[in-house]
Amino acid sequence: MTAPATAVGHALDPDCLFCKIVAKQIPSRSVHEDDEFYAFHDIHPWAPVHFLIIPKAHIASMAQIGAEHGAMMGRMMALVPKLATPEGCNPYPAGGFRLLYNTGDEGGQEVNHLHFHVIGGPRPWLRG
Ligand code: 5GP
Ligand code: ZN
């Protein structure tokens, strides 16, 4: 049994794009969904594989993460290798993937709801 989505963040921010995607108010192409997380294809992929993993609870960014989020962050990170290969990333070490989490304006974050970018697949990529 996983922790409820409200345990470590706000359940929903009505002004947040990714909260609207979680609520299915905005359509997205699903990669994975469980009680705690949603993964979906990035609308502007950089590479053959480019999807995002987000907590369903609204947490703005990595800047808000503290020790109380440790277990949740561990579960979120464990989803990365679990989903990467079925989505088309080649196996490690010849394949692999890039895990990116932009944080804040200077960190290049455009959507203020914590998300992991999982980027991979055969090169060349458009970016990165
Ligand atoms: P950031 O720059 O905040 O790290 O990344 C935000 C990502 O969200 C970008 O890669 C962008 O392409 C993606 N994105 C923005 N709006 C949407 C949307 O409406 N749907 C999907 N699937 N991805 C989006
Ligand atoms: Zn949100």
Side-chain angles (χ1 to χ4, degrees):
M1 183 74 186
T2 54
T6 50
V8 291
H10 299 291
L12 185 123
D13 177 341
D15 298 323
C16 169
L17 175 67
F18 286 176
C19 283
K20 289 178 186 169
I21 284 180
V22 168
K24 308 284 194 280
Q25 291 164 6
I26 293 174
S28 61
R29 289 173 51 226
S30 175
V31 168
H32 167 89
E33 181 163 13
D34 61 39
D35 288 351
E36 205 175 17
F37 304 108
Y38 183 53
F40 57 103
H41 293 277
D42 196 291
I43 205 165
H44 294 128
W46 296 7
V49 179
H50 187 171
F51 63 91
L52 307 174
I53 306 177
I54 67 175
K56 288 185 168 178
H58 181 83
I59 298 170
S61 79
M62 281 296 293
Q64 282 70 39
I65 295 301
E68 70 274 25
H69 300 94
M72 183 276 286
M73 290 301 292
R75 289 190 292 271
M76 187 164 162
M77 206 155 262
L79 277 177
V80 176
K82 182 178 168 187
L83 300 178
T85 309
E87 284 306 311
C89 292
N90 289 311
Y92 177 91
F97 47 79
R98 180 165 295 178
L99 180 59
L100 190 67
Y101 21 106
N102 299 326
T103 305
D105 290 349
E106 291 179 353
Q109 184 179 9
E110 291 180 358
V111 179
N112 294 321
H113 181 130
L114 177 66
H115 51 281
F116 287 174
H117 293 256
V118 183
I119 302 168
R123 286 180 179 266
W125 298 351
L126 288 178
R127 292 173 64 186

